[in-house]
Amino acid sequence: LAAAMAGLLNLSSLPCFFLLFVLLLGDDITHVQAGAPEDCKAMKPVQGFNFEVEWKDSSKTCTLRCKAEGENYGCMTSPDAFQAAFERAGIAMERSVCQKTSTPSEDDPEHVVVTCPEFREDIDMHGTGKLGKMTLELDMYKEVAIKAVKDLLSPSVSSPSGTQFV
């Protein structure tokens, strides 16, 4: 086995080694599929939920941002909707690979950050303890997360104008 591994590591077989590496790790290397930028940019605000969305080519990240000011009630309720969408997609926030931090405490959260391999959700009350001052930033790193949010916001037969956040 050692001789076979040594043979794989010589420079003449480097392309074969890289191909083997890609085949073994597959999704971890090619985690953002070709449709991700289009899926990201296709996300549009829906009734009761105003937000901005941005695709960053350099990091292959789709970022959704909202502020709960005014009557943007959808921003206030979006963390629950995103959590449900991620659960349906098989990437629930409660997995062992995810990390959640709440400051100053879990009982009195002013700033909550959930980090998973597919996404990062940052909810900030800006020290007020009031939902009306909340901001949310959702970074999506993998196609499964982008698709889950896009599907949540897309029109369907039962809800022609998309998910209602009011």
Side-chain angles (χ1 to χ4, degrees):
L1 181 62
M5 289 304 289
L8 279 176
L9 295 177
N10 77 39
L11 291 179
S12 66
S13 62
L14 191 57
C16 292
F17 181 71
F18 181 74
L19 179 61
L20 178 64
F21 185 70
V22 170
L23 290 173
L24 290 174
L25 296 180
D27 190 52
D28 289 336
I29 281 187
T30 59
H31 62 274
V32 176
Q33 297 169 349
E38 291 78 21
D39 285 344
C40 179
K41 294 171 187 174
M43 293 183 211
K44 303 293 181 208
V46 296
Q47 182 180 344
F49 183 25
N50 296 314
F51 60 87
E52 298 174 355
V53 69
E54 171 188 17
W55 173 259
K56 296 177 197 152
D57 271 328
S58 60
S59 61
K60 305 287 188 242
T61 302
C62 180
T63 301
L64 183 147
R65 292 182 194 87
C66 69
K67 295 179 183 179
E69 16 182 66
E71 294 187 12
N72 194 8
Y73 301 116
C75 187
M76 294 178 209
T77 62
S78 65
D80 292 333
F82 294 147
Q83 183 173 358
F86 291 150
E87 284 176 15
R88 282 191 300 276
I91 55 171
M93 295 178 176
E94 295 80 23
R95 297 171 294 148
S96 62
V97 295
C98 299
Q99 182 178 15
K100 179 179 179 180
T101 56
S102 299
T103 52
S105 71
E106 185 75 30
D107 294 330
D108 184 26
E110 291 288 329
H111 189 196
V112 178
V113 177
V114 177
T115 306
C116 296
E118 304 85 3
F119 62 89
R120 179 180 184 273
E121 182 182 66
D122 186 332
I123 304 165
D124 195 344
M125 307 286 189
H126 300 281
T128 65
K130 297 180 180 179
L131 284 175
K133 299 293 181 185
M134 181 189 101
T135 58
L136 175 132
E137 183 168 298
L138 178 64
D139 292 325
M140 295 163 277
Y141 312 119
K142 294 194 177 189
E143 179 72 19
V144 65
I146 296 168
K147 184 168 176 16
V149 173
K150 179 185 174 224
D151 289 350
L152 174 72
L153 299 171
S154 295
S156 68
V157 174
S158 62
S159 177
S161 60
T163 301
Q164 303 300 302
F165 282 85
V166 292

